Amino acid sequence: MMLNKEYEAMHREDLEQLQLERLQSTLHRVYRNVAFYHQIFDDRKTDVEKIRNLADVNQLPFTTKEDLKKSYPYDMFAVPLRDIVRIHSTSGTTGKPIVVGYTKNDINTWTSLMARVMTAAGITEQDVVQIAYSYSLFTGGFGFHFGAERLGSSVIPAGGEDVVKQIMIMKDFKTTVLAGTPGFALHIGTVLKDSGIHPEELSLKTGIFGAEPWSRNMRLQIEESLRIETFDNYGLTEIMGPGVAFECSAKQGLHVNEDHFMVEIIDPETRMPAAPGKQGELVFTTITKQGFPLIRYRTGDISAFLEGDCPCGRTLRRIERISGRTDDMMIIEGINAFPSQIEEVLLQIEGVKPHYQIILERSSGMDTMEVQVEVEEQVFSDETKVLEKLRLAIQQRIKSAMGIVCKITLVEPKKLNRSTGGKLKRIVDNRDR
Ligand code: DLL
């Protein structure tokens, strides 16, 4: 199902013409209204009048997270504060957060894009949508809430409630759609099983998840434990929040909402376009935003373009599901590794729970990685010999999948932190101490 067929299935030439017009007007606006862009365009002698086709975008400077941190709190806003009707921010775990502002029009665009994304997942006014994302400075809760309300669904703003309450609501309120982080969905599935509730007792049919990477195996586990069909959805606060790219029913990558965001994939080292089909860093330019427009924003997220037509009929370009970030990339013995690769391996092993943590240390200039992983109750009470065998098997599987030898520590069930609806921190990095 398409909500805005005229944009979602637009002829490429028409879409590109629309993008160009929107890009040009954005460039004029940022040059006029944002001191940061005025300065760098002048410094680099970028003449916005000379951007006459989409390929010229590579003449424009990039914007980085560091640039945005320096502009704390409001220096990147392109309109006066009186025209801003909503403020959100990143969590700022590594220093000052990035603060973003939306005009009335921006909220309207965001709402319609969220309604588009949810329609692609088959959600309608018939659905009861339980939103388990937090309603806070984080964009997840409010983004989904407004979108679902626009569709006319019955919306339950459950963000912030604990897992037991989520399950109670889900069962008693006859929730049909769950929106939340995949980590929290998995946790809900595990607790559901432990409390002896069969998923068939629920009315749940669809899950719409995002905000953190989730491997294919994790997806299967969620689908299995909750008996639902799941849809991925990608976004980031700086660009808008959820709703930047989304899965349709074909589930062959994520469609980027290109009528509002131009997308590039670059090699993070050379900053040149990544070779066709090759992975690289996602870069977005907003072309309709008024409050917080960004030019060539380097996301740090890794993906690749998928070529060819999507069977759903949308012409919006597709990207692979996000496999990780340039900055949670770990380099162990010279090998680039992502937590998602470890997760893939762990979830294929019998007796292992999908709860793990990665601890990085540095000794005599060498990085070492320890993976702590929960095992099932009965495995944990087995003899030491059995546990040792499992430990070695995990180590071997990781070595053959990734070429890395790491220390494996098996821990008892429920020992590691659970997702409480926010993002789960998988890596503890002690290397800089
Ligand atoms: O996580 C917005 C969002 C909310 C997206 C709810 C989807 C659902 P931030 O807190 O700014 O915004 O975090 C953005 O999260 O740069 C990615 O690294 C990661 N991320 C978001 N969605 C996905 C996804 C929201 N579907 C950062 N798969 C991004 C993998 C994701 N990573």
Side-chain angles (χ1 to χ4, degrees), residues 133 138-139 211-213 232-237 301 322 325 423:
Y133 286 114
F138 174 59
T139 51
E212 61 192 12
D232 194 1
N233 151 73
Y234 163 84
L236 61 167
T237 315
D301 290 321
I322 315 299
R325 293 184 49 79
K423 296 183 203 227

Side-chain angles (χ1 to χ4, degrees), residues 215-429:
S215 64
R216 206 177 49 239
N217 277 320
M218 179 159 171
R219 180 171 201 162
L220 292 176
Q221 293 221 0
I222 296 172
E223 292 184 342
E224 163 73 27
S225 67
L226 294 172
R227 297 275 200 287
I228 51 173
E229 182 177 7
T230 61
F231 292 84
D232 194 1
N233 151 73
Y234 163 84
L236 61 167
T237 315
E238 298 91 309
I239 295 301
M240 184 177 74
V244 173
F246 63 100
E247 252 180 353
C248 63
S249 55
K251 300 205 195 148
Q252 297 173 11
L254 278 68
H255 291 280
V256 176
N257 281 317
E258 287 180 289
D259 44 339
H260 297 275
F261 313 106
M262 281 175 56
V263 55
E264 298 168 75
I265 295 182
I266 60 164
D267 174 332
E269 299 295 320
T270 63
R271 308 201 294 172
M272 297 301 283
K278 283 272 173 308
Q279 285 201 328
E281 180 179 356
L282 281 168
V283 171
F284 290 103
T285 299
T286 68
I287 51 175
T288 52
K289 269 175 69 184
Q290 298 176 328
F292 198 83
L294 289 182
I295 308 302
R296 300 192 89 196
Y297 182 63
R298 293 187 59 172
T299 63
D301 290 321
I302 294 171
S303 183
F305 282 122
L306 292 170
E307 299 306 332
D309 298 334
C310 184
C312 75
R314 286 179 182 80
T315 50
L316 300 171
R317 264 191 114 166
R318 287 172 300 152
I319 54 172
E320 270 177 6
R321 294 181 70 217
I322 315 299
S323 56
R325 293 184 49 79
T326 48
D327 50 11
D328 72 8
M329 190 170 77
M330 306 173 289
I331 305 183
I332 312 291
E333 300 166 24
I335 299 167
N336 295 352
F338 294 101
S340 56
Q341 292 173 290
I342 294 179
E343 184 179 302
E344 267 314 318
V345 173
L346 292 178
L347 292 179
Q348 285 165 17
I349 300 174
E350 191 74 15
V352 168
K353 293 236 184 208
H355 300 293
Y356 66 95
Q357 193 152 49
I358 298 165
I359 294 154
L360 301 177
E361 305 275 356
R362 181 170 294 151
S363 65
S364 9
M366 282 277 287
D367 289 344
T368 59
M369 175 167 71
E370 174 188 352
V371 179
Q372 298 183 340
V373 57
E374 286 184 16
V375 293
E376 290 179 356
E377 195 79 57
Q378 76 269 25
V379 176
F380 200 72
S381 49
D382 273 340
E383 299 165 38
T384 347
K385 232 168 51 195
V386 181
L387 280 177
E388 182 58 13
K389 208 168 142 212
L390 179 63
R391 207 181 60 72
L392 288 174
I394 298 174
Q395 193 177 44
Q396 188 52 40
R397 294 277 278 269
I398 293 181
K399 180 160 185 276
S400 60
M402 301 167 65
I404 295 171
V405 180
C406 58
K407 181 177 166 202
I408 306 291
T409 309
L410 304 179
V411 302
E412 63 200 289
K414 305 203 170 72
K415 176 99 190 290
L416 301 176
N417 287 337
R418 289 289 185 274
S419 171
T420 51
K423 296 183 203 227
L424 203 54
K425 205 167 174 294
R426 294 287 192 191
I427 307 175
V428 178
D429 193 345

